[in-house]
Each structure stands twice: as structure tokens, then as C-alpha cells.
Amino acid sequence: MADATETAQGPWLIVGLGNPGPQYAGNRHNVGFMVADLLARRIGGSFRAHKSRAQVCEGRLGIPGSAAGSPRVVLAKPMTFMNLSGGPTGALASWLKVPVERIVVIHDELDIDYGVLRLKRGGGDNGHNGLKSITSALGRDYHRVRCGVGRPPGRMDVAAFVLKDFSTVERKELDWFVDRAADAVEALVTQGLERAQSTFNG
């Protein structure tokens, strides 16, 4: 049974952004899904369909056997396309009664070099359609785990770049990158934003 503090606060909602479908699975735009999938494996759960038009997985993050260090989380992957992510996210937040300060969104970030992480709370969408949709549904004050994918080379269109798979060179470090991003989410939830920032912000 949850302790009194957790009952009062409710779970954390952790949303990985991406596009549904196998043709998008390896895209740079889907790094949020990749991190959410790893977190689900860590808590020993699996995703299932939810009426909010998202796949969800519930469990506890942190140290096994330690209720204080293992907060309850709901992992989510919106099954709409990226630019409509706010609908499922807002519906889940309402369904679970999760306040915006207990929502974490994991997403790709063009203005950060590949492999670099930045954690923050609030801010703009920086042209990211998934964030734009979520901000429209929730306001700006949610947490973000920003996974750097870098800028497209030459004159490549930004949309084409994020909808391509990671390059051969990038894939050599992708497992490490996703693992570190999952660690950052765990630190944010269990230790707070400032401590997580001091450890993971590149």
C-alpha cells in the first residue's frame, strides 16, 4: 500500500515522445520511446493500450524494497503522431490526477549535440511539435529530459533529419545514450531536479 505522502501526491507521469509504428522505431524523433521502453524493462513491466490513446506501463522506479526511494510511476507513449501528443498526455494527467510538476517528458532536441542530456522544468517548445502540443494541453511547467540529436548536416531539412534513423556512427553510442537518459529520469524522480541536473546536464 502506498504511504500517506505518495497517496497525497499521486504517481509521476513519465511520457516518452515518438511516432507509433515500426517504420519510425529507429528514428531520431523516437528517442523518447526508446528511453520509455528501457524504463519499462527496468521496472519489469510491459506497455498496454489505454483509453487515453497511449500505451502505459505502471511500476516503481528506484531501489527495490525501498518505498521511499521507489516512487510509483506511470510510463506513457502517446499513440497519436508526434504533433498530437498533448491529447493523450493531457487525458492521462487528468485520469491519474497528476499535477504538472510531477510530469516528465522525454524528447529529442536539435539544439543539443548528439549524446548530450539537459534536464529542465518549463520553457518554450523550440519548434518541437510534440512539446508544442503538450504545452497546449498542460501549460509550460512540466519537466523535460532533452536528448540531444544535433543539427542536420548541410541543408538537410529538419523534418527529414529527425525522421531518419540514427547514423551508423551514432548507433555505436545509442545504447549508452538511452541508458544514461533513463538514469537521468530516475534521478529526477527520486532525487529532485537540481541534483539530477548537477549529475546529468552536459
Side-chain angles (χ1 to χ4, degrees):
M1 180 178 291
D3 61 30
T5 301
E6 183 179 317
T7 302
Q9 294 180 328
W12 284 79
L13 176 59
I14 300 171
V15 183
L17 295 189
N19 286 309
Q23 67 271 40
Y24 300 106
N27 289 179
R28 295 180 177 90
H29 226 15
N30 272 45
V31 69
F33 274 16
M34 297 175 195
V35 177
D37 286 338
L38 177 56
L39 288 167
R41 292 196 295 273
R42 288 186 179 185
I43 66 176
S46 57
F47 283 96
R48 56 181 173 79
H50 187 272
K51 65 181 182 180
S52 61
R53 295 180 298 158
Q55 290 186 353
V56 300
C57 174
E58 300 182 49
R60 288 185 179 275
L61 281 179
I63 305 167
S66 170
S70 304
R72 188 162 67 92
V73 299
V74 177
L75 306 172
K77 297 190 297 184
M79 290 291 105
T80 55
F81 283 97
M82 178 72 82
N83 63 348
L84 298 174
S85 298
T89 302
L92 269 173
S94 177
W95 174 266
L96 297 164
K97 297 180 171 60
V98 177
V100 69
E101 63 268 18
R102 292 176 73 83
I103 297 174
V104 181
V105 176
I106 311 160
H107 65 92
D108 58 304
E109 179 62 65
L110 287 162
D111 284 340
I112 302 174
D113 290 341
Y114 176 69
V116 175
L117 295 171
R118 298 271 172 78
L119 283 67
K120 71 173 186 176
R121 181 176 171 188
D125 56 61
N126 202 25
H128 193 292
N129 288 330
L131 295 183
K132 190 177 299 183
S133 180
I134 289 174
T135 296
S136 178
L138 300 176
R140 299 179 183 275
D141 210 22
Y142 52 92
H143 292 89
R144 300 108 187 273
V145 175
R146 306 159 72 203
C147 303
V149 296
R151 279 276 168 187
R155 297 185 179 181
M156 181 184 285
D157 180 67
V158 166
F161 177 70
V162 297
L163 292 175
K164 283 188 177 294
D165 287 1
F166 287 98
S167 71
T168 303
V169 172
E170 289 169 336
R171 284 198 295 272
K172 292 178 180 177
E173 294 188 355
L174 184 57
D175 286 348
W176 171 85
F177 186 25
V178 170
D179 190 68
R180 185 167 169 78
D183 288 347
V185 173
E186 288 201 32
L188 171 57
V189 170
T190 60
Q191 301 173 18
L193 178 61
E194 287 188 9
R195 285 186 65 184
Q197 284 175 324
S198 69
T199 302
F200 291 96
N201 275 15

